[in-house]
Amino acid sequence: MKNLIKVERARQNMTQAELADRVKVSRQTINSIESGKFIPSTLLAFKIATVLQVAVDVIFQLEDSDW
């Protein structure tokens, strides 16, 4: 799964720590999601999208290899 969290965070001048604090996870969790090492739960994905004010399907995109 591809994600654009880093791009959206940068657009809003938000650090990993700030995003993590707002969605109630560790900075390391955000880092792991951004680097593709961890796929968030549906609830966490929606929280991240809400904080970044972007639709969840814009932030998280399925790739052909995910099927």
Side-chain angles (χ1 to χ4, degrees):
M1 180 182 298
K2 177 181 172 184
N3 75 73
L4 301 174
I5 296 172
K6 187 174 184 177
V7 172
E8 288 302 319
R9 272 193 319 94
R11 190 174 61 81
Q12 297 182 32
N13 296 315
M14 186 181 297
T15 66
Q16 286 182 341
E18 290 168 334
L19 177 58
D21 186 55
R22 293 189 60 189
V23 298
K24 310 272 191 273
V25 298
S26 69
R27 184 202 56 78
Q28 290 85 354
T29 298
I30 298 299
N31 182 274
S32 292
I33 295 169
E34 286 183 357
S35 65
K37 295 177 185 172
F38 176 72
I39 297 175
S41 68
T42 304
L43 180 59
L44 181 53
F46 273 94
K47 285 180 179 181
I48 291 169
T50 299
V51 167
L52 294 175
Q53 300 177 349
V54 179
V56 73
D57 63 327
V58 170
I59 296 282
F60 297 97
Q61 301 170 356
L62 288 176
E63 298 180 294
D64 290 339
S65 61
D66 295 328
W67 295 98

